[in-house]
Amino acid sequence: MKTTFKRAICLVLMLCLATAFCVSLAACDRTRDDGKLYVGLECAYSPFNYTQLDDSNGAVKISNADGYANGYDIMIAKRIAQALGKELVICKYEWDALVPAVVSGALDFVIAGMSPTAKRLEAIDFSDPYYQSNLVIVVRKDNAALSNATSLADFAGTTIVAQSGTFHDDALREQGATYGITRYTPMADFPAMINALNARAVDGYIAEEPGAIENCASNSDFTYVHLVNNQTGFAATDENTAIAVGMKKGSSIKDAVNEALAAIIQSERNQMMEQAIALASGGNIVE
């Protein structure tokens, strides 16, 4: 009898959690408007995207959660929305839910530091790249051996973590053992990895260079090892290191998105990223 009762309670709790999750995913879909552009991101991948307390420095209110979103991805999203003549609506999603949300039509775009990998291209289309990333490893300054490292070979015997569901973790899983690196169980987001490094649960975590710069500016105990893809760092293809806008298969506005991106020249993109890093290091971020 007790066992049956406990099972019933567990079932009810699971159904409640599942319902809450579905409601969260559908939050941006309930009041869709053709005059609005629904863009999904984690709001937790600084400096590409992050959550802050107010609308300062051009931040945009998150439609389905507390706080305001800012960062490089937001700057890009605003330019695209302006070019398309639509109002930008920012929707906060877990990383693994972003692609399914585009497929379902809950989101128009993913603009979240996402790479157009072969697996993702099976489900959605991507724009031309708006950024090209380089993978580095963030470590503690007081780890002299690692803070002075110059290549992956210097990480032999270490434990490194990467974010779940990313190319970073794929690279670590596929190449880490070659260098004697132990792959730690991947984590959901960067705040979790930052906490793990602070607690010395790992020796370092993989990041893209702009993110590493901001993380180290915000955490005085951190530094990062400047690795170069396909040289001193991880082997990587352009497919995996490019960052682009994700959209539904056969989207009728793909060309318009590419035109909007082409209008942002490289020097302006560099300035935008520098601004995003500086703003993210300003202390207004909600972890």
Side-chain angles (χ1 to χ4, degrees), residues 43-44 49-53 62 66-69 92 284-286:
C43 303
N49 58 79
Y50 56 86
T51 301
Q52 63 182 56
L53 298 170
I62 301 171
D66 292 335
Y68 297 77
K92 183 175 181 177
N284 194 25
I285 293 181
V286 178

Side-chain angles (χ1 to χ4, degrees), residues 183-243:
R183 171 179 172 255
Y184 196 84
T185 302
M187 295 184 176
D189 52 36
F190 275 76
M193 295 192 294
I194 289 169
N195 289 337
L197 184 56
N198 265 321
R200 304 178 193 273
V202 296
D203 296 305
Y205 63 84
I206 299 176
E208 288 165 290
E209 194 154 15
I213 293 171
E214 187 281 318
N215 289 173
C216 294
S218 301
N219 297 272
S220 60
D221 292 332
F222 291 2
T223 186
Y224 76 94
V225 180
H226 176 74
L227 303 173
V228 179
N229 295 341
N230 302 310
Q231 296 180 34
T232 58
F234 291 98
T237 64
D238 288 345
E239 170 195 277
N240 286 317
T241 57
I243 290 175

Side-chain angles (χ1 to χ4, degrees), residues 32 36-39 102 105-110 246-248:
R32 285 187 61 85
K36 296 180 179 180
L37 190 68
Y38 296 85
V39 174
V102 170
L107 293 176
D108 293 310
F109 297 147
V110 172
M247 64 194 78
K248 203 162 189 176

Side-chain angles (χ1 to χ4, degrees), residues 6-18:
K6 288 180 179 178
R7 286 178 178 172
I9 292 296
C10 288
L11 179 59
V12 171
L13 289 173
M14 289 174 67
L15 288 172
C16 289
L17 287 172

Side-chain angles (χ1 to χ4, degrees), residues 28 39-53 59-74 77 88-96 98 107 110-113 163 188-191 214 280 284-287:
C28 289
V39 174
L41 52 158
E42 293 176 285
C43 303
Y45 184 33
S46 177
F48 287 93
N49 58 79
Y50 56 86
T51 301
Q52 63 182 56
L53 298 170
V60 178
K61 181 70 179 72
I62 301 171
S63 65
N64 61 336
D66 292 335
Y68 297 77
N70 210 342
Y72 185 71
D73 289 331
I74 299 298
L88 178 62
V89 177
I90 295 299
C91 304
K92 183 175 181 177
Y93 277 70
E94 295 296 325
W95 177 259
D96 290 338
L98 286 167
L107 293 176
V110 172
I111 305 181
Q163 184 182 18
D189 52 36
F190 275 76
E214 187 281 318
N284 194 25
I285 293 181
V286 178
E287 294 292 348

Side-chain angles (χ1 to χ4, degrees), residues 108-179:
D108 293 310
F109 297 147
V110 172
I111 305 181
M114 183 174 283
S115 299
T117 62
K119 183 177 181 180
R120 293 183 186 126
L121 282 165
E122 292 176 0
I124 62 175
D125 283 343
F126 281 89
S127 69
D128 295 335
Y130 63 87
Y131 190 80
Q132 199 76 32
S133 67
N134 190 60
L135 299 186
V136 301
I137 298 180
V138 179
V139 300
R140 293 184 60 87
K141 287 180 179 178
D142 57 13
N143 189 329
L146 295 185
S147 61
N148 292 309
T150 58
S151 72
L152 281 180
D154 297 323
F155 284 84
T158 64
T159 298
I160 304 298
V161 69
Q163 184 182 18
S164 174
T166 64
F167 163 64
H168 308 178
D169 187 53
D170 291 341
L172 181 59
R173 183 183 65 250
E174 295 165 5
Q175 302 172 45
T178 302
Y179 297 94

